[in-house]
Amino acid sequence: MSGNEVAIIGGGVIGGGWAARFALMGWEVRIFDPDPDAARKIDAVMQGAARALPMLYEARMPERGAIRFCDSIAEAVAGARYIQESVPERLDLKKNVYQQVMAHSSPDAVLASSTSGFTPSQLQEGLALPAQLLVAHPFNPVYLLPLAELVPSTKTAPEAVEVAKEILTEIGMFPLHVRAEIDAHIADRFLEAVWREALWLVKDGVATTEEIDDAIRYGFGLRWAQMGLFETYRVAGGEAGMRHFMAQFGPALKWPWTRLMNVPDFTDELVDLISDQSDTQSGALSIRELERLRDDNLVAILRALKGQDAAAGALIAAHDARLRAPLEETVPLVTVRRIVPSDWVDVNGHMNEGRYGQVFSDASEELMAHVGADKAYIAAGHSYFTAETNIKYLAETLIAEEIFVETRVMLGEGKKLRLWHEMKRSADGALLASCDQFLLHVSLETRRSCPPLTPVAAAVERLAQAHRQS
């Protein structure tokens, strides 16, 4: 065993999302779900995840871990380091699962529940090994959204919390340590409040389901995606900050703006009203189509945040850096391996020509780092500048395709560097584009060309010689 085995108990939407994220991050996944249709459902989730998650990264993803369906909980949990329970929100069902898990798993394994509402103390009551158990509550789609609310109780072993943090961080998630037990944890309490108010707005005829969604997605939802609640309001206070905001808007808390303490009855009429409006709003698209639209939008938003090294994007950037491996000394060098993300595609459905330049620029950046002309070298006042490129577009490159770039050093003499890049499709090796790139070494102090420092010059000349001889 590799030591990276995870057991997923319950293969619904959340369990399938967990399975997909773990597998795509290189873990061996074993699933138990008595639903005879579980394999088909999880395969559909996996296809969406395999298409979307790699788009967030410039680094090559880990080798995908195998997913195996097991006939029993005992088979699924044997030898697993981490066990994620995602069965329906029934306390009796969950406790029955835990008893079976604890009877057949290692006492050192972490047992985490995806529950959105129960506290760990409620889940631990009557269990033989309560120290194993904590809550790791994710958000759908688990394979894209990084937050997991990590909630221990006083009975949870501190080591289990630390191991869970380490594992969740390893697969690119953000474990938010919730320090006090409370029903529905943190995030779902906000969602519940918004949901209750939305029900009243629909019931009272103030707004339709689509109008409410528009208010969120075109307004504060975009702010919350990057700044959260309190930071958003701090900015709203202007130069005077949060204190001014509180002084200005605090009295509004006494105004009858919401009906959060008065929940409408879930009558058949209200259910029909909301269901009909939702069908009108979104019924033209299948669930798979809506999921793909959601995933593409999330990828674009998260990649935008990544480019600014902000919020969830900073988390992805840091994880991307950890996934990067040094270049192997092959001839030619493979400088890029990646998936074409949704925000690189133009109206024709293929990769925008400007992105080819980015791919080849990324390839040269990787080569620069390989020869020592890295960030530290640039910070010390030296770099290579591109003087000329000639890109040839040879075939369409489509969204979610895996591509790689082979780079040859054609000239490496003094301050001159010439690179030949070929971008190819991973599936069949087809040549998609080529780039002839000429660079000059410069001093960042004078902004004029100059010879590179000796170690970099030697590394470039060594590569040029190796590539000429191949």
Side-chain angles (χ1 to χ4, degrees), residues 67-126:
I67 293 180
R68 178 162 62 90
F69 289 87
C70 300
D71 294 328
S72 66
I73 290 178
E75 181 185 355
V77 303
R81 284 178 59 200
Y82 185 89
I83 302 158
Q84 186 75 35
E85 168 269 308
S86 301
V87 303
E89 293 284 80
R90 282 177 34 210
L91 194 56
D92 59 333
L93 176 61
K94 289 181 181 290
K95 287 187 176 182
N96 179 268
V97 166
Y98 301 151
Q99 289 169 354
Q100 296 181 62
V101 167
M102 290 177 178
H104 298 283
S105 64
S106 165
D108 296 327
V110 174
L111 171 55
S113 174
S114 298
T115 181
S116 59
F118 294 124
T119 65
S121 289
Q122 289 175 296
L123 300 175
Q124 290 169 328
E125 188 176 352

Side-chain angles (χ1 to χ4, degrees), residues 188-229:
D188 271 358
R189 295 180 75 89
F190 287 110
L191 293 176
E192 178 72 7
V194 174
W195 171 241
R196 289 177 188 229
E197 186 64 26
L199 292 179
W200 276 116
L201 290 172
V202 174
K203 183 178 186 300
D204 291 345
V206 175
T208 66
T209 57
E210 185 169 16
E211 289 165 350
I212 290 170
D213 284 351
D214 286 345
I216 295 170
R217 60 189 168 204
Y218 298 134
F220 64 86
L222 292 172
R223 297 187 309 196
W224 282 9
Q226 53 160 331
M227 300 185 79
L229 178 65

Side-chain angles (χ1 to χ4, degrees), residues 404-423:
F404 66 96
V405 176
E406 293 179 335
T407 300
R408 291 180 180 269
V409 179
M410 308 302 289
L411 174 67
E413 296 177 357
K415 59 188 179 182
K416 298 178 180 179
L417 177 62
R418 186 174 182 180
L419 304 177
W420 176 257
H421 307 287
E422 292 186 342
M423 189 179 86

Side-chain angles (χ1 to χ4, degrees), residues 27 81-82 108-110 134 150 157-170:
W27 282 61
R81 284 178 59 200
Y82 185 89
D108 296 327
V110 174
L134 47 75
L150 202 63
E159 306 83 51
V161 177
E162 294 308 310
V163 169
K165 286 182 179 179
E166 178 184 334
I167 289 174
L168 293 173
T169 301
E170 180 183 332

